[in-house]
Amino acid sequence: MIDPRFRRVYPRVMSQTPKPFPDLAVEIRGLNKIYGGGGKRPAKQALSDFSLEVPRGSFFGLLGPNGAGKSTMINIVAGLVNKTSGTVKVWDNDIDTHERQARCAIGVVPQELNFDPFFTPLELLEVQAGLYGVPKSERRTKEILDMVGLADKAHAYARTLSGGMRRRLLIAKALVHTPPVVVLDEPTAGVDVELRQQLWRHLRELNARGTTILLTTHYLEEAEELCDRIAIINHGKLVAYDTTRALLRRIDNKSVTLTLAQPLTTVPDALADFHAVLPTPNELHINYTPSTNAMQGILDAVRAANLTVTDIRTDEVELEDVFLQLTASSSQHAVQ
């Protein structure tokens, strides 16, 4: 499903003829960024030949340790930082040759709270819509406030809002011009679990309407829960790019814990090849590689040992395992 307003509002704001939706919401080719040094401080290359494709309509996660280049990339895409070389397109608009169109195709939710505390949410959204040239007849201020759960705070001063409400207000500001691409830079940093769940729900609804979402986060469980595709960046380079499911399959390791009806003092011979261990007399723990040892083989060995299983618990690979493995590997290569 694609929000029809992308075709109606966006071209009108841009005063251009509607054109087909692009396959890629964001397209980056050979992007480099070098921050010049000063005094005794050497120049720093924040991005090195970085390329990335964000498919239209995806919920895309960009992960990386501190200093990896995530914020630099986002600021270049948003038009806040000048690139050294390379090409960047937002909604098929080159940020150099069609700067205005590219900026209006994107809404950015920064980490910092960057609004006037003496304005009300309604006033802030109206001002933001005016800055983007959205005609009054096409503004959706009340609709957006309702969507992010701030309709009852429309006329309250922003300074009186709680931290979670201010986070939602930042999201609302990014949506006033109906951008087809929304970038969220650590949107749930420092918020409690309940609010995080609320924000997740709002973001899923936004994505279901066709908005492409690019999310950076340090909460890996958040990326695993929300994103259908993930890129991992380290030392300014792309070290992984795939669907979330495919990334999780990269680590060929699982574990299973079998709860037994009868206690054991030693591991049966039938399970010796699986390097099983006994954490407790009634538990059998096995680490195995799915590519070479199928679960069926483990169960066959358990039956051959005449064991009765009362419960089975498996531990799946998490995105954190993949992230740590890939960033550690790329850091070693960078040092070499």
Side-chain angles (χ1 to χ4, degrees):
M1 177 182 176
I2 297 178
D3 193 329
R5 286 175 299 215
F6 293 165
R7 194 181 298 281
R8 189 185 78 231
V9 178
Y10 170 64
R12 176 160 180 185
V13 173
M14 292 290 77
S15 300
Q16 66 181 37
T17 304
K19 57 184 180 180
F21 292 128
D23 292 330
L24 298 177
V26 177
E27 182 180 3
I28 301 173
R29 304 288 182 195
L31 183 61
N32 289 279
K33 174 59 184 178
I34 301 175
Y35 289 103
K40 296 181 180 180
R41 188 177 55 193
K44 175 179 174 57
Q45 181 147 6
L47 293 171
S48 178
D49 199 27
F50 183 86
S51 297
L52 184 68
E53 294 181 349
V54 179
R56 184 192 72 221
S58 63
F59 204 129
F60 197 97
L62 181 65
L63 310 180
N66 290 329
K70 301 187 302 297
S71 294
T72 295
M73 190 219 78
I74 287 175
N75 288 333
I76 290 174
V77 171
L80 301 175
V81 169
N82 293 325
K83 59 186 174 60
T84 302
S85 63
T87 60
V88 177
K89 291 183 179 180
V90 180
W91 207 249
D92 205 29
N93 295 296
D94 190 289
I95 64 170
D96 292 326
T97 59
H98 295 86
E99 180 182 4
R100 186 165 177 259
Q101 290 91 329
R103 291 194 181 191
C104 281
I106 193 170
V108 179
V109 182
Q111 293 185 44
E112 301 80 13
L113 300 175
N114 59 355
F115 46 75
D116 192 320
F118 294 97
F119 276 65
T120 68
L122 188 145
E123 291 169 340
L124 284 168
L125 266 59
E126 283 292 307
V127 169
Q128 188 80 352
L131 292 174
Y132 276 96
V134 181
K136 288 189 175 182
S137 61
E138 305 215 4
R139 294 181 186 177
R140 303 183 297 122
T141 301
K142 292 183 179 180
E143 176 189 339
I144 293 172
L145 288 174
D146 183 62
M147 185 184 74
V148 298
L150 291 176
D152 60 333
K153 300 292 184 179
H155 300 285
Y157 285 124
R159 68 176 183 271
T160 67
L161 301 180
S162 67
M165 290 178 180
R166 295 179 186 186
R167 286 283 176 191
R168 281 180 275 166
L169 182 54
L170 286 180
I171 295 176
K173 278 186 63 182
L175 301 179
V176 296
H177 57 297
T178 318
V181 183
V182 172
V183 176
L184 300 112
D185 193 3
E186 301 284 346
T188 58
V191 303
D192 59 47
V193 175
E194 183 179 0
L195 175 59
R196 191 178 304 169
Q197 293 289 339
Q198 292 176 5
L199 290 175
W200 285 9
R201 185 174 67 253
H202 292 313
L203 295 177
R204 285 194 183 98
E205 292 172 356
L206 188 63
N207 181 243
R209 296 178 183 179
T211 302
T212 302
I213 295 179
L214 176 57
L215 170 73
T216 75
T217 179
H218 280 105
Y219 297 111
L220 299 185
E221 74 277 8
E222 183 170 67
E224 187 172 348
E225 176 76 19
L226 294 173
C227 301
D228 50 63
R229 191 173 292 269
I230 288 174
I232 298 177
I233 182 176
N234 197 21
H235 297 292
K237 295 179 177 289
L238 187 68
V239 298
Y241 172 83
D242 215 327
T243 63
T244 306
R245 183 173 298 180
L247 279 177
L248 293 174
R249 287 199 299 265
R250 288 197 180 192
I251 293 186
D252 190 21
N253 181 56
K254 287 187 179 182
S255 64
V256 60
T257 301
L258 307 175
T259 302
L260 307 174
Q262 63 272 53
L264 298 176
T265 57
T266 60
V267 175
D269 292 339
L271 289 159
D273 291 341
F274 293 99
H275 305 290
V277 296
L278 292 169
T280 69
N282 287 88
E283 286 186 326
L284 194 66
H285 185 80
I286 299 172
N287 284 316
Y288 69 101
T289 54
S291 63
T292 57
N293 294 299
M295 187 65 179
Q296 186 61 48
I298 296 174
L299 296 177
D300 289 343
V302 169
R303 280 193 291 269
N306 295 317
L307 299 177
T308 301
V309 177
T310 60
D311 188 36
I312 298 178
R313 185 178 73 251
T314 60
D315 294 320
E316 300 290 335
V317 174
E318 295 182 347
L319 185 59
E320 182 176 0
D321 302 315
V322 181
F323 176 82
L324 291 173
Q325 184 185 79
L326 291 172
T327 53
S329 175
S330 63
S331 295
Q332 290 174 358
H333 291 154
V335 171
Q336 294 173 356

